[in-house]
Amino acid sequence: MNAILLRGRLLSFVDRPAAIDDARSYRYESDGGLLMVDGRIAASGPYASVKASSPADVEEVDHRPHLILPGFIDPHVHFPQMQVIASYAGSLLEWLNTYTFVEEQRFADQDHAGRIASAFFDELIRHGTTTAAAYCSVHKASADAFFAESMRRGTCMIAGKVMMDRNAPDALRDTAESAYDETRALIAEWHGKGRNHVAITPRFAITSSREEMEAAGALAREFPHLHVQTHLSENAAEIAFTRELYPEAADYTDVYARFGLLGPKSLLGHCIHLSDREADALAESGSVAVFCPTSNLFLGSGLFDHARLSGRPTPVRIAIATDVGGGTSYSMLRTLDEGYKVLQLQGQRLNPLESFYRITLGNARALGLEGSIGTLNTGTDGDVIVLDASATPAMRLRMETVATLAEELFLLQTMGDDRAVSEVYVAGNAAKSVLATNGINNGSGTGR
Ligand code: GUN
Ligand code: FE
């Protein structure tokens, strides 16, 4: 038996906070204990009582005065874009054609895919992200490398081989048939293995023919429990091109609806320029709009209208994500900070309790995984992070004047990054502090 007892200030959400003073939306334990046994949370509550119920030989780690939260969840990120991030592009289609579709070709090389997969997991863990929904490249081998790395790390991950058969370089195109076959093979080889989930991943309408969209729809019908991930309504030129390619569709959202790709497992990146009809179609199908603030600002795509989507009679389900490499940071804290500013520009606010709800339980619910991740509930997986709101001299100074939990969270999201993540546990095992000592991804070129 592998038992570990963490001591610190526990914070976990039970529901979406209705307001900044909504104390019923979360559980906070100022001297808390969190017991993890064999990868799962076995108990959490006041330290003294959890300690009393722990095995006598339990390993104890004292994280006081830091906060202990569920691991962060990033529901939209591109693992083959680690060397695309920070590319000097004007807007989405230029960025894709000039940088992204060039870089992603390198993932035909298995050694390269393996090396970047290892670096990617290091980076997620360094930033406190324990689950992600990731796009791989068009090559099945890139998804194989990703899932193999996830098995080594013990992480809960969602990922898919990108399906794309047109409007991209030859070396980056599959066919409707090979996309279908390879996605099926990935499902057989990886779905449910360890904590891995395979997602059906048509990149977006521009890069998939009708035949390939039909193949994606067929997969979604055959495997209704699988996630579907794609991009929707990110950029004006993208929308115009999509309308040209699919004139029979009522609008961009309708393209996906026609192929049966909307629904409660569908994760739609961006959703910036939606009509009311489209927003209602997302709401009625239970699809998730994924807000990617650092990407939307970096590519000048537009401002995600959180109030409009969440304030409808039937609200659109919302998640928040990095979208690296269009996004500019792996940090969900940086992502919250930029998200806050995107809403500020529209006269909207995102209170710090809701922010931290979003990147934990909120994103877990968006993925339909709240039964296993996103909280500190007993019986769920031991994916836990430790946050230090005094991680830098400037943060420490500001912390001197912080009086409430909400203020501390707001400081963390406004000034925090990977330095504020003091430890990360994946399935009950310390994962951040061992990165350096393991020498994983030491930059030596060919991987591990
Ligand atoms: N649309 C299609 N592919 C991509 C991508 O890789 N990143 C972003 N931000 N948008 C996309
Ligand atoms: Fe994206």
Side-chain angles (χ1 to χ4, degrees), residues 76-78 81 92 95 135 203 230-231 234 269-270 292 295 322-327:
H76 183 124
V77 59
H78 299 258
Q81 295 178 10
L92 174 66
W95 175 84
Y135 290 65
R203 183 172 206 125
T230 188
H231 296 84
E234 177 175 5
H270 307 296
C292 304
S295 170
T322 65
D323 192 30
V324 161

Side-chain angles (χ1 to χ4, degrees), residues 265-299:
K265 302 292 274 188
S266 296
L267 310 169
L268 304 161
H270 307 296
C271 297
I272 298 171
H273 309 285
L274 300 176
S275 67
D276 283 337
R277 197 213 73 79
E278 292 180 282
D280 288 338
L282 294 188
E284 281 154 24
S285 61
S287 305
V288 176
V290 186
F291 176 25
C292 304
T294 70
S295 170
N296 298 162
L297 294 171
F298 181 73
L299 293 173

